[in-house]
Amino acid sequence: MLGFLFTSKEVQELEYLLKRELEEMLLDFSDKRIDYLVKRAMEERYSIIFRMYARIASPNEISKYVRRKKTGEENFT
């Protein structure tokens, strides 16, 4: 585990970068042209980035990026 000390400005920038990446990935999940295997890799990456974002964002902001699983699991192909 690594520890970092960030200024408040750096935290704002990190939060902005993580939010944009999460938003872009959410859009990509709905793209039917992306292969199932690629989406599986994206899910792993999304999970990591979401956990990073959750450490610096407010609970209200975090709730915007929580992925809800569908009961009939999406068919990615």
Side-chain angles (χ1 to χ4, degrees):
M1 178 177 276
L2 295 174
F4 291 99
L5 292 175
F6 291 114
T7 65
S8 60
K9 188 73 169 173
E10 291 169 334
V11 170
Q12 289 175 347
E13 184 65 27
L14 181 61
E15 184 177 359
Y16 173 80
L17 291 171
L18 293 173
K19 278 174 42 172
R20 295 301 157 239
E21 188 64 26
L22 290 171
E23 289 171 359
E24 187 173 324
M25 291 177 79
L26 285 173
L27 287 174
D28 288 345
F29 283 127
S30 63
D31 190 344
K32 303 291 185 197
R33 299 172 294 171
I34 298 176
D35 187 49
Y36 171 76
L37 293 175
V38 174
K39 285 190 179 183
R40 291 289 304 211
M42 286 171 48
E43 287 175 359
E44 290 179 32
R45 186 164 186 259
Y46 188 89
S47 176
I48 292 168
I49 293 173
F50 179 79
R51 285 182 300 201
M52 290 171 61
Y53 181 65
R55 292 179 187 213
I56 59 174
S58 69
N60 193 27
E61 286 292 317
I62 295 169
S63 65
K64 296 176 184 178
Y65 299 100
V66 173
R67 288 196 64 216
R68 289 166 178 76
K69 294 285 184 180
K70 294 182 181 178
T71 55
E73 195 60 38
E74 289 181 306
N75 183 8
F76 292 130
T77 57

